[in-house]
Each structure stands twice: as C-alpha cells, then as structure tokens.
Amino acid sequence: MGWGVVDCDKLGHLAYSPGQDAHRKVVEEFGQQILAEDGTINRQALGGVVFSDKSKLTALNNIVWPEISKLSMEKASKLWESGCQVVVLDAAVLLEAGWQSSCHEVWVCMVPRQEAVKRIMERDKKTEIEAERRLDNQMSNSERVTAASTVISTLWSEDITQSQLS
C-alpha cells in the first residue's frame, strides 16, 4: 500500500535485548529464571509468569511499553521525514498501552474469541486454558470496536481480508 509501517512487536523484541534498559529492568523485576542460556529473555518463560498473574503483567507492561512507545515514535518520525504520507503503527497493544493518542485513526482487526483461542493454540503451541488466560488479559472485541475508527475482520482468507481495505 506504500505506507510506512512501524512494527511494534519487532521494537518490543529490541527492547527486550541484552544491554537495553527494559532488559535490565525486566530481569530485576522477574529474576534470572526468565533468562535463556545466552542471556536473552525467554519470552515463553516470562509469558508463563505474567499471564498467570495480572499484577505481574501490569509490572511488565509498565517497564516495556514506555520503551516501545519511545522507539515507535522515533521510527514513525523517520518514516514521516523520509516522505511517507501515511505511517501505520502495527501494535497489538495500541489501545491497552494508550498509544492511540498518537494516531489519527485506529483500525482494529478482530476475530471471534473462539477463533482467537484456536489461533493462539496453533501458533504458540499453547493449551486451550493458556490461550484463554492470554485473552482474559486483553481488551475484549467489544472494547476494541468501541475505540476503533475502522474495524476489519480477519476471520476469512487473506484475499477477503484485503478486500475490506479497498
């Protein structure tokens, strides 16, 4: 589509990298048991800790989201300055993190909850209970739709999803 895209998930991985402030703070908060042998954060181990305790998830978000926000705004500025007329923040937690104030529009992609459970189980090799727990820690579809300026369903094939953008 010729837009500049800021991939906030990739920036999240960068924020978790050894040597970054967020990496140090996450290890201080959650301990050495969330580290892989190479010193990187084992996101599966960390997920097991934070998705079973909402207060721990909040603590993690309070560490990582400000760093991702800073990195995303830097990247968006560079894209804008390079001539991109539209810059998209691709951020699954855009609404939860409060980043919508940096956006002119908020587009939400959604699927029914049971489809989301199925996709988490397939993609992340999680049990149904683990997938449900993850979704329980996220905004509901109803909350997302209320906050959105545009809603897209990704339930069907990619070509049908794409046709919604035309």
Side-chain angles (χ1 to χ4, degrees):
M1 293 189 160
W3 301 346
V5 178
V6 177
D7 184 334
C8 292
D9 188 53
K10 283 184 182 173
L11 295 177
H13 285 276
L14 176 62
Y16 280 106
S17 298
Q20 300 293 320
D21 262 359
H23 179 277
R24 179 184 51 75
K25 291 176 184 175
V26 168
V27 173
E28 285 173 6
E29 180 72 26
F30 298 102
Q32 299 288 317
Q33 71 272 12
I34 55 108
L35 290 177
E37 288 184 22
D38 64 359
T40 60
I41 292 175
N42 178 330
R43 290 174 65 133
Q44 283 194 321
L46 181 59
V49 172
V50 301
F51 288 116
S52 62
D53 183 334
K54 204 165 192 108
S55 68
K56 290 180 180 179
L57 180 59
T58 299
L60 175 66
N61 292 340
N62 288 338
I63 293 168
V64 178
W65 285 355
E67 183 65 18
I68 296 171
S69 177
K70 181 181 86 124
L71 293 169
S72 69
M73 291 301 106
E74 289 171 0
K75 175 78 172 166
S77 291
K78 287 178 184 171
L79 289 167
W80 185 261
E81 291 166 7
S82 74
C84 292
Q85 293 185 357
V86 175
V87 176
V88 175
L89 288 183
D90 181 359
V93 297
L94 182 99
L95 297 170
E96 290 92 337
W99 300 337
Q100 69 271 25
S101 61
S102 299
C103 302
H104 292 99
E105 294 184 26
V106 174
W107 291 26
V108 169
C109 296
M110 58 173 277
V111 294
R113 183 178 173 92
Q114 197 51 44
E115 178 66 17
V117 168
K118 178 182 160 211
R119 290 180 184 185
I120 291 169
M121 291 171 62
E122 289 172 2
R123 181 191 66 221
D124 300 338
K125 309 294 185 245
K126 299 293 181 188
T127 66
E128 186 171 0
I129 291 170
E130 290 169 323
E132 291 276 355
R133 193 177 302 140
R134 286 208 173 184
L135 291 175
D136 289 342
N137 283 296
Q138 297 176 5
M139 291 178 84
S140 69
N141 280 340
S142 174
E143 291 170 307
R144 290 181 191 282
V145 168
T146 299
S149 51
T150 301
V151 178
I152 300 166
S153 173
T154 59
L155 181 59
W156 303 287
S157 64
E158 187 176 330
D159 57 323
I160 293 174
T161 299
Q162 282 293 118
S163 74
Q164 295 175 76
L165 302 175
S166 301

